[in-house]
Amino acid sequence: MEGLKVWRLSSSIARPSNLRQLFGLGTSSGLVRCLDNGAAAANATNTRFPSRNRRASTSTSTSTNTSDREAVRAIRLKKVEQLRSKGTEPYGYKWDRSHSAKELQEIYKDLNNGEELDSESHHVSIAGRIVARRAFGKLAFLTLRDDSGTIQLYCEKERLLNDQFEQLKTLVDIGDILGASGSIKRTEKGELSVKVDSFSILTKSLLPLPDKFHGLTDIDKRYRQRYVDMIANPEVADIFRKRAKIMREIRKTVESRGFVEVETPVLQGAAGGAEARPFVTYHNSLGRDLYLRIATELHLKRMLVGGFEKVYEIGRIFRNEGISTRHNPEFTTIEMYEAYSDYQSMMDMAEEIVTQCALEVNGKLTIDYQGTEIQLQRPWRRETMHNLVKEVTGVDFTELEDDLKVAKDVVLKAVGLGLDSKDKSSIEACPSLGHLLNEVFEIFVEPKLLQPTFVLDYPIEISPLAKPHRRHAGLTERFELFICGRELANAFSELTDPLDQRARLEQQVRQHNKKRAEAVSVTDGTGEQKNIDEDSMYEVTLDDDFLTALEYGMPPASGMGLGIDRLVMLLTDSASIRDVIAFPVLKISQ
Amino acid sequence: MDSFVSEPRPASYETLSNNVLKRERRARERQVREEEKKKVTTNKIPENQRQQVANDDTMDPTQFLSNRIKSLALLKESGVNPYPHKFDISMSITEFIDKYRSLYVGEHVENTEISLAGRILNKRSSSSKLYFYDLHGNGAKIQVMADARHSDMDENEFCKYHSGVKRGDIVGICGFPGKSQRGELSIFPRSLVVLTPCLHMLPRHAITSNSDEAQSKKKTRNHSWTPGITRNPETYILRDQETRYRQRYLDLMLNSEVQKIFRTRAKIISYSRDFLDNLGFIEVETPAMTMTAGGAAARPFITHHNELDMKLYMRISPELYLKKLVVGGLDRVYEIGKVFRNEGMNLTHLPEFTMFEFYMAYADYNDLMDIIEKLLSGMVKELTGSHKIKYHGNGFDSEPVEIDFTPPFRRIDLIEELESRANLSIPKDLSSETANKFLLEACEKFDVKCPAPHTTTRLLDKLVGHFLEETCINPTFIINHPEIMSPLAKWHRSKPGLTERFELFVNKRELCNAYTELNDPQVQRQRFAEQLKDRQLGDDEAMVLDESFCSCLEYGLPPTAGLGMGIDRLAMLLTDSPNVKEVILFPAMKPQD
C-alpha cells in the first residue's frame, strides 16, 4: 500500500504527484472494507464455532487454549482496525530486502561486541517473522526469523520516527511479519542486530503461535497444520529444503548420464505395472471410470519402444492402501529405463544416486539413521536371495525338490519356533516355491539388512515384468536394494519377449480373479469376514496396448524404481514418511 | 542415402602395395558405377530381392505377425533366445556421428571396433551379399552397410541371416566406421545380431510414386525441425492422428520430429527449474489428492480411499498448499506437477495437465511481470536462438503467425482497455446490479455470447475475450482484474474494486495467471462468501471456501506474489503444436468402440 510507504521514512517508490489521491482512496476503501469484514468475520466465526467446540471437547490438550485463541484473535483484529484507522495497511504489498539474516550473520561475523557500523554502506533491510520480543522503557529487542535464520532487531525510541516506537510496543505481536531497515550493531552481549530506524508491519498475524513446550506435542496437529509446525520448529522446514536438494541431485546425476525427463499419464484406463489396489475416479465428459496410476513402468517402457534410449520420470504414484509410518496413499518415485543395459548396470546407478544425494545433503557417506550407523561407502554388498535366506535360516532352497508341501515342512521345521501365527499362516498359504522363498526372505532376512544390500535374482513367480535369468531357470534378473531393513529400489533386466510377457500378465490376472472370487464367496457366506480379503476386491485388467508395444519391439533394457520419500527419510533421519511429505494424508479428524 | 548402390570393397589386405590397392579400388568403383547405371534403368533391385521386399510389403499384416511368431518359436526350440539379455554398446549413434562425421568420402577405419545398437527403419539390398539398413536410436540415424565380405559369418549364413532381418527389428552391430562413396556416414558390420524382433509390419510412407518419394525425402532432409520453426505433420510417415496419439511409440519411432518435441518439452521444464533455482527458490511437492479442491475454479475429479473411507478430490491447483508453505517460512517455493480438471476435452484442454507455480515472499505482481518476462524471453532465445517464433496458431491449414518474445511485453489495463476499445463506460461498482445489467446489455449490443448464468464475472470475462484477448498475439499482460473475478488476488493498492493481478496472453490464449496474493484473512473469507453467491446463481466454477486455508492465513502470510503457468501451452507454442495432444506423450482419448 502506498500509504504505508509514505509513513516509512525511506520511501523510494511513492510518487508524490498522486499521493494524496491514493491516500484518500486507500483510507476510505479501507474503512468500508473493515466494516464489511466485521460482518463477514462475525458470520464466519459463528459458523466455525461448532467445529471448534467439537474439537475442544474431544481433545483435552487444546481445550484450554481455544478460548485463549479466540481472545487473542479478537484483540489482534482490533489492532488491525487501529492500524487502518491510522492510515497504515496491516497487510503490506512488498518489501525490498537487501540481505537475508544468514547473509548478515556471515558478513558481520567478525564484528566485535558493542561495535556499531552506522555509515550508509552498512544500511540494510530485512524481513521476517517476529518470534520473540522484549520491551523496556525506551528500548525493545525483537527476534526476527526469515527463511535463512534469525537476527535481532534493536529498537531505540529516539531513533524511530513519530509514534513508531509506541506502535512497536502496542501493535506488534509475536507472529507478525515485519520489514525493517537500519544499521548494523553487535550488542554488548554479543547479539548481532539491525539497529532499526524504520520498520513496517507487513502482515499482522491473528493467531498466537504455539508455545514451545506445549503446542507441538500434538503430533496429529503437526501434520495437519504443517505451517504451524514449520514456524515453531525451523528444523522441520529444513527437511523440505533437503528434500528439494535431493530431488535436484537425483536429476543432476541421471541427466549427466543422458537421461531425458518425461511425463506419463496419472489417469489411466487400466492401472498396471505393479500389484496394488488403485484409486478409481470418473471422468464426466468421457463417461468412464479412470484409474490413478500405481506405477509409471508400462508407459516408460513404451518410450523405449518409441526410440528413446534413456528416460526417467519423477512423479506421484497412488495406491489405495492403508497409511502407516512407511506408507502414504500418494508418494513419489523415480523410475528410469536404459536401453542396452541390464540389472548389473542399474546397481551401479543406484549406488551412484544414493551416494551423490548423501554427499549433497550430509557431506559424508557414514550417516546415522534412528540410532543405527549406516555405511554408504561403495561398493555395496550384492548377494542372491537364495544365499541370504540360507545364511539367515539355514534353509538351502536350491536343494529343495519341486514339492511345495515338502518344502514348507522343511522351512517350518527349520524356523518354525520363531514364528508367530500370522507369519506361519502366510507361509502355509504360499502358492509356489518362489512365493515361499520370498515369504521366508521377508520374514527373516529383510529386517536384518541394515547396511546397503542388493538382493539379487528373485523367483519368477513374483516378478512378472522381469526377464528370466540368463543362467538360472526359475529366477529372474531382478534386484531390490535394502537399507535399514527397508526396500529402497526395485530393478530388473526388463522382459522384452511379448509372448512371455502376455503369458505372465494373463497368469497374474487369473490369480487375481481367483482371489477375488474367493473373497466374494467368503463375504457372501459370513458378513463379518468382510475385511479379510477386501484388498483384492478391485479389478485387474490386461494392458493390451502395452503388449502390442512390446510386439513392435523393445530393446534389451534395464529399469529401476526408487522411492524418493524413503530416500529422504533415510538421509534426513526421519522416522516416519509423514515427516518428509509436507501434507500427508491423515484420518478425518474427529 | 545410398539406396541400392553397392559400395567398393575396402582394402583389407595390408600386404598389398598401395598402388595395387588403388588400382583394385578404381576397378571396383568403375564396376560399381556401371552396375549402378544398370540398376537405375532396370528398376534398381535384383529380381530375387525385389521379390522378397515386395513380399514383406504386400503381405497381409496378420500373416506377417504369425510368420514371425512361428519363426521365433523355431528359434526358441533350437535353443536360441531371440531376446538376448544384453548387448554392450561402446557408444550411442549420436556419439558415433559426432566422432566420425569428419571422415572423408570413401574412408574406412577398419582397425577400429565399435558396437552400436538401434532400430532398423529401412532395409535395402543390392544383392544377397550386400544389405543397407538405416539404424535409428535416440533421435539420430546412420547407415549400416552390411557386406558379406566383412562379416564374421560365411556367405551362406550371411545371406540367410540378413534375409530374416526385418524392418523394425532392433539390432546390435559390431563393426568399423566409414563413409560411403556417396559421403554417407556408415557402420560396416563384422557382426550384426537381432536383439529384439519387431513382430508387426511397420507403416510406410504413404507416397507411392518413386519420384515423389525422392522429392519428399529431400524436403524432409533439408527441413530438420528445431524449436521455434514450423512443422508439417502432413509429411510424416505415420499421419493418422488417432494412431499417433494412441500408439505414441509408433509416432516416436517413425516420425523423427516427434522425439524432438518431447526433448524440447523436457528442456522447457529444466530451463524453468534452473531459472528459479538460481533465484533461491526450492522445489516442493504438495498433495495431488486433497479433502477440498481449492485454488481455482473448476470441476474436480473425485475418488475414494477405501481403508480410511474418505472422499478425496484430485487437485485442481496447488496454490493454497504452496501458500501454506510460505506461511510456514519457505519464502520462495515452486512446484511443477500434474493438475486435474474434470472437464471436456478440446484442442487446448485435457483432463490432466502440467502446471508450474511459484510463490515469492516480499514481492508483488510488478516483480513477477519482470521475472516472467525474463524467464520466457530467455527460454525462447535459448531454445530457438531468437526471440521470434513461428506458430500455426490457427491450425496447420492456415498460415503461421510470428510471435515476438522480445521484452518488455505489452501491458494493458483490463477495464481501461475494454472501455476504450468497446467505447463503454462501465459502472465503477462492479458488484452492483447496475453493473450487471450494463454488461449484459453490452454483450447483447456487441453480439458477444455468454451462456447463463449471467454473473458479472462471466459477462466481463466474455467481453474481455472478445475485445482484448483477440489482440494478444505477441505476449501481452492484461492487468488489474476486478475483485469479483479474482477471489485470491489482493485488492489493488490504488484502484478500488480492482486487484493486483495479471494474465499473460500469447497467441490469444492465457499462458500465465499471477497476482499479489491476498493475505488478509478477513477479506479472503469475504471473497469466498461472494463466490458462494455466484455458486448459488448456478456458476459451478465459482470457488469453494477452504476453511483450513483461511485459518492458515490468520497465522500470517507475508506479502507474496505468485504465478501459475501452463507448461503444456508453452510447449505447444515452442513446438508449433496447435493441438495440446501433440505435446502430451499419452493424451487422454475417447474410448474406442
Side-chain angles (χ1 to χ4, degrees):
Chain A
M1 178 128 282
E2 299 289 339
L4 175 131
K5 280 170 182 148
V6 182
W7 174 64
R8 274 170 51 202
L9 190 62
S10 55
S11 165
S12 53
I13 304 161
R15 288 177 298 274
S17 61
N18 50 11
L19 265 185
R20 202 171 355 157
Q21 185 197 357
L22 297 181
F23 200 82
L25 285 172
T27 316
S28 62
S29 71
L31 278 177
V32 171
R33 187 173 296 111
C34 283
L35 290 174
D36 284 358
N37 289 347
N43 281 335
T45 319
N46 282 338
T47 52
R48 277 202 343 275
F49 256 123
S51 69
R52 276 175 198 282
N53 286 341
R54 194 166 65 228
R55 186 184 298 176
S57 61
T58 53
S59 161
T60 49
S61 70
T62 53
S63 61
T64 49
N65 294 341
T66 311
S67 55
D68 293 353
R69 264 165 64 101
E70 289 308 319
V72 168
R73 197 167 173 278
I75 293 167
R76 293 196 182 179
L77 278 172
K78 279 222 180 72
K79 291 181 181 176
V80 167
E81 277 177 50
Q82 263 177 289
L83 283 164
R84 283 207 172 112
S85 69
K86 289 181 185 175
T88 303
E89 174 52 50
Y91 297 96
Y93 280 81
K94 174 175 169 59
W95 184 261
D96 283 317
R97 284 192 285 186
S98 64
H99 294 84
S100 71
K102 191 180 169 194
E103 282 167 351
L104 290 180
Q105 300 283 6
E106 290 278 316
I107 295 170
Y108 296 106
K109 63 177 186 293
D110 297 329
L111 195 68
N112 292 323
N113 290 1
E115 207 175 325
E116 273 188 61
L117 298 168
D118 219 353
S119 75
E120 189 56 35
S121 61
H122 298 290
H123 193 88
V124 298
S125 162
I126 52 168
R129 194 182 289 275
I130 301 303
V131 293
R133 191 174 79 136
R134 284 172 300 148
F136 306 99
K138 292 183 173 179
L139 196 56
F141 299 99
L142 283 73
T143 307
L144 178 140
R145 190 164 72 217
D146 67 14
D147 201 331
S148 69
T150 59
I151 193 161
Q152 180 166 270
L153 301 182
Y154 183 98
C155 311
E156 278 177 332
K157 187 174 181 181
E158 58 262 36
R159 209 178 156 96
L160 291 167
L161 202 67
N162 302 334
D163 62 345
Q164 267 211 309
F165 190 77
E166 278 315 303
Q167 290 206 7
L168 195 67
K169 281 176 80 171
T170 55
L171 297 177
V172 172
D173 293 293
I174 290 176
D176 291 357
I177 291 163
L178 252 61
S181 58
S183 52
I184 291 290
K185 172 192 174 82
R186 194 179 288 282
T187 61
E188 294 297 341
K189 286 188 173 170
E191 199 60 43
L192 185 71
S193 311
V194 173
K195 198 166 172 190
V196 177
D197 45 37
S198 99
F199 75 89
S200 73
I201 300 174
L202 297 177
T203 303
K204 184 77 200 143
S205 70
L206 300 184
L207 292 176
L209 296 179
D211 84 65
K212 278 247 167 212
F213 303 102
H214 302 106
L216 294 162
T217 49
D218 184 350
I219 289 180
D220 190 61
K221 190 174 171 183
R222 281 186 50 200
Y223 297 133
R224 271 182 219 284
Q225 292 180 281
R226 178 70 82 180
Y227 48 92
V228 181
D229 190 23
M230 287 164 68
I231 297 168
N233 298 317
E235 62 275 13
V236 171
D238 270 344
I239 289 181
F240 297 105
R241 289 193 190 92
K242 284 180 179 166
R243 186 177 172 117
K245 267 190 183 174
I246 290 168
M247 295 282 249
R248 198 172 162 65
E249 194 58 31
I250 294 174
R251 282 208 175 86
K252 211 173 100 192
T253 308
V254 297
E255 281 180 6
S256 71
R257 279 159 186 74
F259 283 80
V260 179
E261 186 172 18
V262 296
E263 293 172 85
T264 65
V266 170
L267 300 171
Q268 309 180 339
E275 263 186 284
R277 180 193 198 103
F279 283 97
V280 192
T281 186
Y282 183 79
H283 189 272
N284 294 337
S285 81
L286 286 182
R288 66 182 289 197
D289 278 345
L290 292 173
Y291 297 88
L292 273 58
R293 67 177 172 201
I294 52 174
T296 47
E297 174 151 359
L298 301 189
H299 281 93
L300 289 174
K301 284 182 176 170
R302 286 172 171 92
M303 304 298 295
L304 294 183
V305 173
F308 278 85
E309 290 177 0
K310 299 176 182 188
V311 291
Y312 77 99
E313 175 164 15
I314 293 182
R316 222 63 72 72
I317 303 294
F318 306 83
R319 298 191 181 169
N320 197 346
E321 290 162 1
I323 56 176
S324 75
T325 54
R326 283 201 236 175
H327 297 94
N328 193 57
E330 58 175 297
F331 56 98
T332 305
T333 64
I334 176 174
E335 279 200 30
M336 48 196 304
Y337 291 83
E338 183 182 22
Y340 312 114
S341 76
D342 60 9
Y343 76 144
Q344 294 287 346
S345 30
M346 266 305 154
M347 282 186 241
D348 299 337
M349 182 59 90
E351 284 181 354
E352 183 72 18
I353 289 175
V354 175
T355 51
Q356 286 300 324
C357 289
L359 287 173
E360 175 68 20
V361 171
N362 296 312
K364 55 186 181 329
L365 291 178
T366 304
I367 57 169
D368 182 78
Y369 183 74
Q370 306 290 303
T372 308
E373 191 184 272
I374 305 293
Q375 307 276 356
L376 295 175
Q377 287 82 359
R378 300 168 70 174
W380 298 341
R381 188 175 180 208
R382 301 179 181 193
E383 194 54 85
T384 64
M385 186 183 253
H386 275 87
N387 285 346
L388 286 166
V389 165
K390 187 175 155 195
E391 185 179 294
V392 173
T393 65
V395 180
D396 187 349
F397 270 74
T398 55
E399 286 176 359
L400 290 179
E401 299 296 319
D402 268 354
D403 191 327
L404 184 61
K405 177 84 184 54
V406 174
K408 282 180 185 170
D409 289 343
V410 172
V411 166
L412 287 174
K413 203 174 147 198
V415 299
L417 288 175
L419 280 177
D420 60 29
S421 59
K422 187 173 142 273
D423 288 341
K424 206 165 179 170
S425 63
S426 53
I427 281 183
E428 273 157 1
C430 283
S432 75
L433 217 54
H435 284 94
L436 179 64
L437 173 68
N438 186 53
E439 194 66 42
V440 174
F441 170 79
E442 282 181 6
I443 297 169
F444 295 99
V445 184
E446 261 190 36
K448 293 200 163 65
L449 299 176
L450 299 181
Q451 299 303 323
T453 309
F454 291 108
V455 179
L456 274 56
D457 301 347
Y458 280 59
I460 201 160
E461 299 92 322
I462 56 163
S463 315
L465 297 163
K467 205 160 199 167
H469 198 284
R470 63 192 86 177
R471 284 186 301 275
H472 305 294
L475 302 182
T476 57
E477 298 202 347
R478 170 181 176 189
F479 75 78
E480 287 194 351
L481 168 63
F482 284 84
I483 302 180
C484 288
R486 273 174 209 170
E487 177 206 337
L488 199 65
N490 182 16
F492 359 109
S493 299
E494 301 298 337
L495 180 54
T496 48
D497 182 341
L499 304 179
D500 191 357
Q501 184 66 83
R502 182 179 289 275
R504 292 215 225 155
L505 290 183
E506 279 171 355
Q507 169 72 4
Q508 202 181 15
V509 172
R510 265 196 307 276
Q511 272 177 1
H512 180 83
N513 288 344
K514 197 174 148 218
K515 248 203 252 172
R516 198 160 158 233
E518 280 164 7
V520 169
S521 62
V522 167
T523 48
D524 279 357
T526 56
E528 65 210 68
Q529 292 202 36
K530 204 181 160 201
N531 286 329
I532 291 185
D533 241 344
E534 205 183 290
D535 276 354
S536 47
M537 290 303 286
Y538 57 94
E539 208 171 321
V540 170
T541 49
L542 207 61
D543 187 342
D544 246 315
D545 179 64
F546 167 66
L547 292 167
T548 307
L550 282 192
E551 287 171 0
Y552 278 98
M554 183 173 101
S558 65
M560 174 165 71
L562 189 148
I564 289 186
D565 308 285
R566 290 191 180 175
L567 179 61
V568 177
M569 283 168 71
L570 176 74
L571 297 179
T572 57
D573 192 16
S574 303
S576 166
I577 196 168
R578 284 170 216 152
D579 296 326
V580 302
I581 292 179
F583 303 97
V585 170
L586 301 164
K587 294 195 177 84
I588 296 166
S589 60
Q590 294 306 303
Chain B
M1 218 165 292
D2 286 50
S3 326
F4 317 119
V5 179
S6 75
E7 285 280 319
R9 182 182 171 184
S12 50
Y13 308 102
E14 282 171 22
T15 47
L16 293 178
S17 81
N18 273 342
N19 280 341
V20 174
L21 284 175
K22 267 184 202 159
R23 236 187 349 262
E24 266 198 11
R25 193 193 297 154
R26 262 187 241 119
R28 262 202 314 272
E29 281 172 14
R30 210 165 33 239
Q31 197 192 337
V32 165
R33 256 178 260 126
E34 276 160 16
E35 274 179 18
E36 192 183 325
K37 267 185 216 156
K38 235 187 286 168
K39 263 180 255 148
V40 169
T41 49
T42 63
N43 206 2
K44 299 173 183 174
I45 315 170
E47 205 54 34
N48 58 336
Q49 293 301 317
R50 204 189 319 150
Q51 192 77 36
Q52 198 219 318
V53 173
N55 272 349
D56 281 358
D57 256 3
T58 51
M59 197 184 279
D60 169 53
T62 8
Q63 185 63 42
F64 183 94
L65 174 66
S66 71
N67 281 359
R68 288 230 91 181
I69 290 176
K70 264 181 229 152
S71 63
L72 287 190
L74 283 176
L75 270 181
K76 282 183 190 170
E77 260 172 47
S78 67
V80 177
N81 176 10
Y83 296 92
H85 282 75
K86 167 116 169 89
F87 183 81
D88 280 308
I89 52 172
S90 58
M91 59 179 70
S92 69
I93 293 174
T94 324
E95 286 165 337
F96 181 88
I97 293 171
D98 286 347
K99 195 162 175 192
Y100 296 108
R101 70 161 92 240
S102 55
L103 293 185
Y104 58 79
V105 172
E107 184 178 5
H108 293 173
V109 194
E110 290 206 35
N111 54 359
T112 311
E113 169 109 348
I114 286 166
S115 54
L116 296 178
R119 188 185 292 272
I120 288 169
L121 286 187
N122 230 327
K123 179 185 177 186
R124 306 173 297 279
S125 58
S126 64
S127 73
S128 61
K129 292 165 202 154
L130 183 60
Y131 286 84
F132 295 93
Y133 302 104
D134 287 344
L135 185 74
H136 290 246
N138 242 10
K141 184 198 96 180
I142 55 154
Q143 177 173 262
V144 181
M145 242 183 94
D147 185 330
R149 285 168 295 186
H150 297 137
S151 175
D152 293 342
M153 292 176 167
D154 67 38
E155 249 175 46
N156 280 339
E157 263 183 293
F158 180 90
C159 298
K160 205 174 150 213
Y161 196 84
H162 281 272
S163 70
V165 175
K166 303 287 181 210
R167 178 165 174 260
D169 285 356
I170 292 167
V171 299
I173 293 167
C174 293
F176 59 87
K179 250 188 197 167
S180 73
Q181 288 308 111
R182 288 214 172 172
E184 185 95 5
L185 180 61
S186 310
I187 183 160
F188 297 79
R190 303 269 186 212
S191 71
L192 181 149
V193 55
V194 175
L195 302 174
T196 308
C198 175
L199 305 188
H200 293 280
M201 249 163 88
L202 289 185
R204 277 185 188 276
H205 228 291
I207 298 163
T208 45
S209 102
N210 274 331
S211 59
D212 275 4
E213 183 168 13
Q215 224 167 21
S216 94
K217 266 180 188 164
K218 207 171 166 191
K219 235 189 265 165
T220 43
R221 220 186 322 166
N222 293 340
H223 171 111
S224 169
W225 182 81
T226 54
I229 65 176
T230 55
R231 292 191 291 129
N232 185 4
E234 277 306 304
T235 63
Y236 286 2
I237 293 176
L238 179 66
R239 279 183 293 181
D240 178 58
Q241 262 200 359
E242 284 279 310
T243 315
R244 287 187 53 214
Y245 300 151
R246 284 190 198 275
Q247 292 179 280
R248 179 69 83 184
Y249 48 90
L250 283 181
D251 188 29
L252 290 164
M253 195 190 296
L254 296 164
N255 302 329
S256 59
E257 277 170 18
V258 177
Q259 275 210 16
K260 289 189 191 157
I261 294 176
F262 293 100
R263 287 177 194 278
T264 304
R265 186 185 166 108
K267 278 187 196 152
I268 288 170
I269 293 176
S270 71
Y271 187 95
S272 310
R273 273 204 185 96
D274 290 345
F275 183 91
L276 287 190
D277 287 345
N278 287 335
L279 290 175
F281 281 79
I282 69 163
E283 185 174 11
V284 295
E285 292 175 87
T286 64
M289 295 191 302
T290 59
M291 305 276 282
T292 47
R299 196 191 302 240
F301 282 97
I302 302 168
T303 186
H304 185 260
H305 190 286
N306 283 57
E307 195 171 305
L308 298 178
D309 193 15
M310 187 159 79
K311 186 178 177 181
L312 290 167
Y313 298 93
M314 302 300 292
R315 69 173 167 201
I316 52 174
S317 152
E319 172 156 352
L320 304 186
Y321 281 103
L322 288 171
K323 286 190 208 170
K324 284 180 181 178
L325 291 175
V326 180
V327 171
L330 298 176
D331 284 346
R332 296 181 179 188
V333 292
Y334 71 97
E335 178 164 16
I336 298 177
K338 288 288 175 67
V339 169
F340 309 86
R341 298 189 182 172
N342 199 346
E343 290 162 3
M345 305 195 293
N346 59 35
L347 285 181
T348 50
H349 294 87
L350 283 178
E352 68 175 281
F353 55 99
T354 302
M355 189 79 132
F356 169 67
E357 287 206 6
F358 67 86
Y359 291 82
M360 186 176 186
Y362 310 110
D364 61 14
Y365 79 141
N366 293 308
D367 297 316
L368 289 201
M369 280 191 261
D370 295 342
I371 288 177
I372 199 70
E373 247 171 32
K374 225 174 166 180
L375 170 62
L376 289 177
S377 60
M379 177 191 295
V380 171
K381 186 85 205 260
E382 163 110 358
L383 292 184
T384 71
S386 150
H387 279 134
K388 293 176 186 163
I389 62 164
K390 284 268 179 18
Y391 182 59
H392 281 95
N394 304 310
F396 283 118
D397 306 335
S398 319
E399 278 300 296
V401 291
E402 183 180 83
I403 301 173
D404 186 354
F405 281 87
T406 310
F409 302 160
R410 186 164 70 115
R411 299 181 186 194
I412 54 177
D413 186 285
L414 187 145
I415 295 288
E416 279 172 22
E417 191 78 7
L418 182 58
E419 288 185 326
S420 89
R421 284 196 182 256
N423 196 21
L424 294 173
S425 178
I426 301 167
K428 285 279 165 278
D429 183 2
L430 284 167
S431 57
S432 65
E433 275 301 314
T434 338
N436 186 269
K437 210 164 149 246
F438 181 92
L439 291 169
L440 188 58
E441 277 161 15
C443 278
E444 275 159 14
K445 181 174 153 202
F446 295 110
D447 199 24
V448 173
K449 302 255 178 315
C450 179
H454 293 137
T455 61
T456 306
T457 307
R458 287 169 59 88
L459 293 168
L460 256 178
D461 196 51
K462 298 294 171 207
L463 286 169
V464 169
H466 181 79
F467 284 104
L468 306 191
E469 293 171 10
E470 282 300 306
T471 71
C472 303
I473 302 294
N474 287 336
T476 305
F477 293 115
I478 296 181
I479 66 172
N480 300 340
H481 299 54
E483 282 183 11
I484 52 163
M485 297 176 85
S486 318
L488 298 166
K490 195 159 184 168
W491 67 92
H492 197 282
R493 67 192 81 178
S494 60
K495 298 181 175 174
L498 304 185
T499 59
E500 297 200 348
R501 173 179 175 193
F502 70 80
E503 286 178 297
L504 178 62
F505 278 81
V506 183
N507 190 51
K508 307 179 194 173
R509 290 197 198 287
E510 182 197 346
L511 182 66
C512 304
N513 182 22
Y515 26 88
T516 307
E517 302 297 334
L518 178 53
N519 60 347
D520 180 336
Q522 297 180 84
V523 177
Q524 185 65 76
R525 283 183 202 284
Q526 183 192 337
R527 294 267 187 88
F528 277 133
E530 281 153 13
Q531 288 289 308
L532 185 63
K533 268 189 249 158
D534 278 358
R535 257 186 115 72
Q536 284 159 349
L537 283 175
D539 183 0
D540 57 3
E541 292 200 340
M543 244 176 250
V544 291
L545 172 91
D546 184 327
E547 176 52 41
S548 85
F549 174 65
C550 290
S551 74
C552 170
L553 285 187
E554 296 189 338
Y555 284 96
L557 171 70
T560 298
L563 178 142
M565 175 166 76
I567 291 286
D568 309 282
R569 292 200 177 170
L570 183 55
M572 286 167 72
L573 289 169
L574 294 179
T575 60
D576 189 27
S577 305
N579 183 342
V580 68
K581 289 182 180 171
E582 287 285 315
V583 300
I584 291 180
L585 279 169
F586 303 97
M589 303 289 285
K590 296 201 172 70
Q592 274 171 311
D593 295 327

